[in-house]
Amino acid sequence: RDWYDVDDGFAQGSLEWKIVDDVLFKFQSTWREWSQRSDLAGSGWYWTNKSSTETTTVNGQFEVDRALGPLASRLLVGGEFLYETDERATFSSWDGANDSKNRRSIASAYLQEELQIFEGVLLSGGFRYDAASYRERDDALALETSEHFDQFSPKAAVTWRPREPFALYFSYSRGLRFPNFDEIYPVWGSRATVLEAERSSSYEIGAKFRDGNLRADLSIYWMEVDDEILYDPLTFQNQNVDEVRHRGIEVSFGYRPRDWVEVYANYTYDQTEIRSFSASPSVVGSRLPITPASRGTVGFNFFIPFRGFDVFELGMNANIVGPRYQANDLANTAPRLPTYATVDLHGRFGKKILDLFNVVLFFQVQNLFGEKYSQFAALDWTGVPGYYPSPGRNFELGLSISVER
């Protein structure tokens, strides 16, 4: 019997300290441990894969709300550090299994300035620097490798409030996404290529509406991504697509007709196009696989005044994902994966203890009705699709404790 099992643990701590009236310091640290094991078997063959990843992050930020001459100003200065270790092993009836121990570290620093240059006009700009180092040791293949990535990323935006409650904005940003362990290290055999980090330039124009219990947002975006990462199931390797363009629209809405209920919805239309791919020039002009053109969420939350609790919230949302091409169907010639929908249930229950500790228990039930679907599929060597079943009903439970003084 084929099966897949995942264990996930998470902890987070945070601190806010108002040093003086116009200077606030924020600190946050998180820890996560994630492990999985999968077993597949067929006539005369078997495949077992297991991996575990432990991630620790710390970040700190200063917020300075202090006027620069006649201009209202907010300065943000901060940094982040991530350290991650990873162990993975594959056992199979075929040659080429691996047993690797990997680690990576990412250090970042950023600065952002917001200035109100005129009444109703806010100008912001800043930069971010990221540097990442990776190291792998594969005992089965007697192989050691290492990589280093870095980038300087500027951003700027202008927001105009012609009249309340409307706001219009335009923004530009340079982005960076480092490959994760699942992407940079194959589950089978040694790497055929060195995987590059994704780098992007994004432009966005939009409008916001805020009026008491009603909010609405509209944005139109254009993003050019260099070296977008895409998985090829036939080679068990990820690869970089030289240039991909994303263009789309995002719409969101929220309304709270009463203090105890909120309804909300959001929708994204994402048009992708492969603009350049030196490894396969014939697919230029095709849509990027696995990325749906349409996706959206609709849901509600209840805020219930329940005796004995300071917080008692229950909510439900439906997630709808449209058709998308299979993972390695770069030519867009095979039938697309069908639309699917799932429903999630979530809740938060909190109480303040001794006028000092805020204790909140939260939960989430994903895919509440056990919908059977495949978010991901790929074509085999003969062009026959192979489907990867997505998780059925699954549960998350957590506890949050904060201190206020």
Side-chain angles (χ1 to χ4, degrees), residues 303-320:
F303 309 94
I304 304 171
F306 199 85
R307 180 177 298 178
F309 290 88
D310 298 315
V311 176
F312 197 99
E313 301 176 8
L314 286 173
M316 185 176 288
N317 60 271
N319 313 292
I320 304 158

Side-chain angles (χ1 to χ4, degrees), residues 75-96:
L75 175 67
L76 305 178
V77 181
E80 302 174 2
F81 182 76
L82 175 147
Y83 183 75
E84 194 167 52
T85 59
D86 172 83
E87 295 185 9
R88 55 187 60 217
T90 303
F91 310 96
S92 172
S93 51
W94 303 300
D95 294 332

